[in-house]
Amino acid sequence: VVPGEWPVEMVSDNVAKVLGYTAQEFIGGRVSWPGITFADDVPRLEAEVARFLKEGASQWSQEYRVRNRSGEWRWFQDWNRPIKDTNGAVTHIQALLVDVTARKETELALERTHRALRVLTGCNRALIRATREQELLNAMCRTIVEVGGYRMAWVGYVRHDAQSSIQPKALFEIPKTGREGSSRTGANMKCGRSFAEAAVRIGGLA
């Protein structure tokens, strides 16, 4: 498989019905498979196919997202089998696609629920163990990031002034470089206070 080029020779009517594109659009190249595949999935898929072919796998399965004609993202499980010529060289890959969107959405919903429960459990532990307010706030922010999978979490207290300003108290974040997360405290933290303050004013929570 050449990166960015997934030529299609044959498409079943079922695939065309699910995605809303015609078989002729795929075969003629007017609709490209990598073009309708979720961009973040493409490098992984190409790397996996290259690895499977190098290892001489007789079949494999992959899961990824594809955008249909109406713009909706659908999850597919793709069962692949390499087809070889008489010399043993792979000429093309035969794929069987199964729409697993319902199953995938259920799995993702369950994972979100489990993650929320793990965060709640971690925060409850922090509440029990902390001996100081700042220690509690730092621990809760860290739990939300490390257990909840967020890049950053912060806590601020609303000042009851005319601007409904917010005093930042604790922050934990994972740098964009992917290094180990770090905690910060104090009024100089940059953590989206303007948006939070606007939300407080609009919501009348001050």
Side-chain angles (χ1 to χ4, degrees):
V1 176
V2 178
E5 298 180 16
W6 304 352
V8 176
E9 296 181 1
M10 185 181 72
V11 179
S12 75
D13 292 336
N14 288 333
V15 172
K17 287 179 182 178
V18 170
L19 293 176
Y21 306 105
T22 66
Q24 289 71 28
E25 286 178 307
F26 282 115
I27 296 172
R30 294 191 298 276
V31 175
S32 69
W33 202 256
I36 62 174
T37 300
F38 193 69
D40 289 349
D41 292 341
V42 171
R44 171 180 59 83
L45 295 174
E46 292 179 339
E48 288 176 352
V49 171
R51 176 170 58 83
F52 289 133
L53 291 175
K54 183 178 180 180
E55 294 174 351
S58 60
Q59 61 181 7
W60 62 84
S61 174
Q62 297 171 288
E63 288 188 359
Y64 53 94
R65 292 155 284 186
V66 175
R67 186 183 64 248
N68 64 18
R69 185 178 288 278
S70 65
E72 179 187 10
W73 290 103
R74 308 293 297 179
W75 277 95
F76 281 90
Q77 186 166 17
D78 189 352
W79 297 91
N80 297 276
R81 182 168 67 95
I83 305 301
K84 302 179 181 180
D85 60 19
T86 55
N87 296 318
V90 176
T91 58
H92 58 284
I93 297 174
Q94 188 178 66
L96 173 64
L97 297 173
V98 179
D99 189 332
V100 295
T101 303
R103 188 254 296 169
K104 199 69 179 181
E105 289 178 345
T106 299
E107 290 177 354
L108 294 173
L110 286 173
E111 172 56 28
R112 286 192 293 268
T113 300
H114 292 161
R115 187 168 61 242
L117 289 174
R118 292 195 298 269
V119 169
L120 180 60
T121 299
C123 289
N124 285 337
R125 289 173 180 167
L127 180 62
I128 294 172
R129 296 172 180 173
T131 58
R132 292 177 293 110
E133 179 184 21
Q134 189 64 55
E135 179 185 353
L136 172 62
L137 299 179
N138 291 343
M140 295 184 76
C141 287
R142 183 175 190 130
T143 298
I144 291 170
V145 171
E146 294 186 339
V147 178
Y150 296 95
R151 183 165 292 276
M152 183 188 76
W154 68 279
V155 174
Y157 289 174
V158 177
R159 296 187 180 101
H160 295 281
D161 53 22
Q163 293 76 33
S164 297
S165 59
I166 293 178
Q167 178 186 5
K169 298 292 291 184
L171 177 147
F172 189 87
E173 64 178 342
I174 302 294
K176 292 182 179 180
T177 56
R179 297 193 304 270
E180 184 179 351
S182 59
S183 294
R184 281 187 281 158
T185 60
N188 294 325
M189 295 190 310
K190 295 180 179 180
C191 46
R193 279 182 291 169
S194 59
F195 295 104
E197 289 165 352
V200 170
R201 288 194 296 271
I202 293 172
L205 301 178

